[in-house]
Amino acid sequence: MERRILLTTVEEAKELILIASDCDFDVTLKRGSLMVDAKSIIGVLSLDLREPLDINTGGENAKLEAFIEEHLA
């Protein structure tokens, strides 16, 4: 399922990376035509965090769902 989120700080990005890393399915972030693995600190921090991002999850995880709900754009 794809949703739009806004990460306003590097700390929020790091929190997402930690949560996504615990998932046993793919989690991707997309901005325009650029798509990165949400488990990759280099990938996530290479995105412009000032703009909303599309997050796509390949499964369900309660912590991830709660994080997404808190950061919906």
Side-chain angles (χ1 to χ4, degrees), residues 16-61:
L16 173 61
I17 294 162
L18 287 174
I19 293 169
S21 294
D22 285 338
C23 297
D24 60 352
F25 50 84
D26 290 338
V27 181
T28 57
L29 289 172
K30 185 173 121 180
R31 183 165 183 284
S33 62
L34 182 61
M35 186 172 8
V36 300
D37 183 350
K39 299 176 186 183
S40 166
I41 192 162
I42 293 171
V44 173
L45 294 180
S46 71
L47 296 171
D48 184 357
L49 299 180
R50 297 172 292 181
E51 299 291 329
L53 304 168
D54 294 321
I55 187 167
N56 193 347
T57 59
E60 292 185 19
N61 176 287

